[in-house]
Amino acid sequence: MKSTKNSRQPAKKAPAKGKKKKTSQKFSLDCAHPVEDGIMDVMSIEKFLIERIKVNGKVGNLGNSVSVEKSGKSKIIVNAEIAFSKRYLKYLTKKYLKKNNLRDWLRVVANGKDSYELRYFQINNEEEDEVEDKD
């Protein structure tokens, strides 16, 4: 008689191959143009980001996983040890601009793989002048 023990044993699971690598992401937000013109303060947007960034679905739960710091006069660096989307940073920046009534003049533009920049909208005054001259 053949033994059927081997055919009824559960499948063996593959051993875990170490821990997952920690994903460290670094994003930057360059606010040079509005800060130079004096319409915006870097400290206020830094405070806004610290108050509004969600970690595990909770606001104000940054802990050691996310850090927001000011670099130089007009740059903000966001370091994240957890999954953090660049798009989420853009969303929060646009929310800040709307709250401070700056959304009509400034836009958030990606200027690199991991960075954003605040730029003014390009308004063509020449076309408006030509229309007024014809009237």
Side-chain angles (χ1 to χ4, degrees):
M1 254 190 199
K2 290 185 177 179
S3 175
T4 58
K5 284 185 179 179
N6 291 340
S7 63
R8 296 205 178 218
Q9 288 181 351
K12 292 183 180 179
K13 294 180 181 178
K17 294 183 180 179
K19 295 181 180 179
K20 291 183 181 178
K21 293 181 182 177
K22 286 192 175 182
T23 57
S24 179
Q25 298 168 324
K26 184 176 181 179
F27 299 108
S28 65
L29 179 64
D30 188 9
C31 310
H33 298 293
V35 169
E36 288 172 0
D37 294 339
I39 63 169
M40 192 176 117
D41 183 27
V42 179
M43 294 299 289
S44 65
I45 191 167
E46 179 186 14
K47 182 181 174 200
F48 180 86
L49 290 174
I50 290 171
E51 291 173 353
R52 298 292 174 105
I53 291 177
K54 286 186 179 181
V55 176
N56 296 330
K58 295 181 182 176
V59 176
N61 187 23
L62 295 182
N64 294 331
S65 55
V66 178
S67 66
V68 179
E69 55 195 39
K70 187 177 104 170
S71 173
K73 291 183 179 180
S74 62
K75 203 167 194 178
I76 294 178
I77 307 293
V78 178
N79 291 316
E81 298 294 330
I82 59 170
F84 191 85
S85 152
K86 180 182 170 189
R87 185 79 178 100
Y88 184 54
L89 180 61
K90 183 175 184 178
Y91 164 76
L92 288 173
T93 305
K94 289 168 79 172
K95 198 169 185 173
Y96 170 81
L97 293 175
K98 186 69 175 173
K99 179 183 173 190
N100 291 300
N101 297 321
L102 297 172
R103 186 81 176 93
D104 294 334
W105 295 280
L106 293 170
R107 63 187 187 138
V108 185
V109 180
N111 63 347
K113 186 177 178 184
D114 58 354
S115 63
Y116 281 116
E117 178 182 9
L118 294 180
R119 291 188 189 166
Y120 289 105
F121 283 110
Q122 295 296 324
I123 301 172
N124 295 332
N125 290 330
E126 296 172 10
E127 293 176 9
E128 292 176 6
D129 291 341
E130 290 175 8
V131 172
E132 291 175 4
D133 291 341
K134 291 180 182 178
D135 289 338

